[in-house]
Amino acid sequence: MPKVIVVTSGKGGVGKTTTSASFSSGLALRGNKTVVIDFDVGLRNLDLIMGCERRVVYDIINVINGEISLKQALIKDKNCDNLYILPASQTRDKDALNLEGVERILNELKESFDCIVCDSPAGIESGAFMAMYFADEALVVTNPEVSSVRDSDRILGILAAKSKRAVDGLEPVKEHLLVTRYAPDRVEAGEMLSVTDIQEILRIPLLGVIPESETILQASNSGTPAIHLEKSDVAEAYKDVVARFMGEEVPMRFITPEKKSFFKRLLGGL
Amino acid sequence: MIREEPAFKIKNANFPLFVVHIHTTDFDKLKSELEKRLHQTPDFFSNAPIVLGLAAIADSGCTPDFSGLVAFMLSLGMRAAGVVGGSLEQCDAAVRAGLGLFPDTPTRPSPLAPPDQDEPPTKSTQPLQPELPGFEMQTEKTLERNESEKVSPDDDIQSIQPDDPSTEPHFRPTLVIDKPVRTGQRIYAKGADLVVLAIVNAGAELIADGDIHIYAPMRGRAIAGAHGNQSARIFVQRLEAELISIAGCFQVFENGVPENVRGKPAQVYLDGSRLIFQTLPG
């Protein structure tokens, strides 16, 4: 059964698009035929993170308006064979999306893809609503700070009340918690919420923790999803996330401060 | 099979009514003041049924001459339909004079609102939160619960609507919520108790016309007795609420819930106009 997975958060700037890019790449690397859709109409970003911005000719709004076929709008990813990108429009706004159009696109994509990842815009308005409405599963991206957690809580409430699965009385949307920008040493210093704190409030299963890292910025600027940056913590963490999503048992990493070696401690002391 | 339409149906209905609270046993004075008042607005009542509020003279030992009073009021266009809040003798006399007896819970003037005030307790002594359903309809004109009240059609609101209200006029099943109540969600148990079995997060709102029970951490807002039921209570397994309100008396916790009940199983009830927080045996 093809799966529709929404990457959402409520709050902006927590790492939804970064996660969408790496998560969909990870699914594709594991052999799933995957498409990632940018729902942030008007503030198109996913194509930049995926490094395909110069290949965008048509977008999701053209498909919704029936101006072109879906195939014409899909862009093949440069890193993974199994991955396609459906970009958002930069010149329109979110009102150009409608539920019928989105449903038609998703149904068509379900015929040839295993995983459909929807990159939600921030907020709880129509764009975010369109992205989540048809979801089977949801990745709720949260930063370890109170406002992000509260916004995620709000999004979870909306998923439970307004998604198609909720409206139709089907099995509820499967929720996954993804904590990003996590800095274990700052958690230990009491400057950040811990994963336990976040789970205490949100009470949904933890899919993974992505450590705070400078490599994310590098990856974004170079148009390469972070999961492709070999040997970085972030890439490892995203691979773990994908593995867990596929049902593998992988122990949590990057949630405790790195043990400093004798030399580092010595240098740090200087 | 064709069912014959019955000749009548009994249905529960609620109408707005005026209550004339009587504050004196000097009925000549009452009559002259009524006359004076209605002289200015003779069509004010225009045959609308009214209820005589006797709570203020219930303990006076004086039994009014209801027949005379009713006849006098009729001459002013006021049709007395019944009495509320009187002593046994007064009620007896009212029935003999052909008046009805109204149950005296919701409209009875309480110690919170002395009978000389026109405002209900929720309005007179406590500031209001106008966005909360249940507060805006509480007026002296409302007899019992106002069934016609509309809740704003926000999708996040869940309210219970029994199929046929005529069969159970004053009883609605408890609303039971077994999923987390998240920020921005509002649960309203209309005319009923509310039981929540999962966490209630900050920014979530529980409203019930009856009691509220939360068998989980409670971090949001709980509003019991939203229609003015002062005997409503709130029971919480772990009290970390942002706001607690009973019958319009509310308390916010800017610096957290008081130390002695914080994070503990507790109940909250109303004593006069004061909210009492009491820990429960864990």
Side-chain angles (χ1 to χ4, degrees), chain B residues 40-55:
Chain B
Q40 298 156 0
T41 50
D43 295 329
F44 187 73
F45 286 103
S46 64
N47 288 321
I50 60 116
V51 178
L52 298 172
L54 305 177

Side-chain angles (χ1 to χ4, degrees), chain B residues 236-270:
Chain B
V236 185
Q237 199 183 58
R238 210 166 102 195
L239 187 62
E240 298 170 21
E242 294 175 316
L243 178 148
I244 293 281
S245 165
I246 293 173
C249 295
F250 71 82
Q251 192 168 340
V252 288
F253 305 104
E254 203 182 335
N255 302 312
V257 177
E259 199 74 50
N260 57 326
V261 285
R262 187 187 302 166
K264 293 182 183 144
Q267 68 158 330
V268 188
Y269 60 91
L270 201 57

Side-chain angles (χ1 to χ4, degrees), chain A residues 150 153-154 156 200-202, chain B residues 156 182-183 201-202 219:
Chain A
R150 173 172 287 194
D153 194 38
R154 179 83 168 113
L156 285 165
E200 225 297 292
I201 299 169
L202 297 181
Chain B
D156 287 358
R182 301 190 179 277
T183 188
N201 272 342
R219 297 170 181 150

Side-chain angles (χ1 to χ4, degrees), chain A residues 149-158 160-162 172 175 197 200-204, chain B residues 154-156 158 179-185 199 201-203 216-217 219 238 240 242:
Chain A
V149 174
R150 173 172 287 194
D151 289 0
S152 294
D153 194 38
R154 179 83 168 113
I155 281 289
L156 285 165
I158 295 173
K162 294 191 188 174
E175 299 151 339
D197 294 337
E200 225 297 292
I201 299 169
L202 297 181
R203 305 208 165 192
I204 59 171
Chain B
D154 188 339
D155 307 41
D156 287 358
Q158 301 173 26
K179 296 201 175 58
V181 187
R182 301 190 179 277
T183 188
Q185 283 183 308
I199 191 166
N201 272 342
R219 297 170 181 150
R238 210 166 102 195
E240 298 170 21
E242 294 175 316

Side-chain angles (χ1 to χ4, degrees), chain A residues 193-207:
Chain A
L193 293 179
S194 71
V195 171
T196 324
D197 294 337
I198 299 171
Q199 274 192 291
E200 225 297 292
I201 299 169
L202 297 181
R203 305 208 165 192
I204 59 171
L206 180 67
L207 186 66

Side-chain angles (χ1 to χ4, degrees), chain A residues 57-85:
Chain A
V57 181
Y58 300 112
D59 56 56
I60 186 171
I61 303 300
N62 298 127
V63 184
I64 282 187
N65 293 344
E67 293 153 14
I68 50 153
S69 75
L70 185 56
K71 274 209 174 71
Q72 285 173 285
L74 288 177
I75 301 172
K76 191 170 177 303
D77 183 57
K78 60 181 183 186
N79 293 304
C80 314
D81 283 342
N82 287 326
L83 181 59
Y84 286 82
I85 299 130

Side-chain angles (χ1 to χ4, degrees), chain B residues 37 48 58 72 84 90 97 103 141 164 170-171 174 218 268 274:
Chain B
R37 169 73 79 91
F72 172 78
V84 65
Q90 290 167 344
K141 284 189 252 171
D164 186 3
H170 293 295
F171 173 81
T174 299
M218 165 63 196
V268 188
R274 231 158 56 88

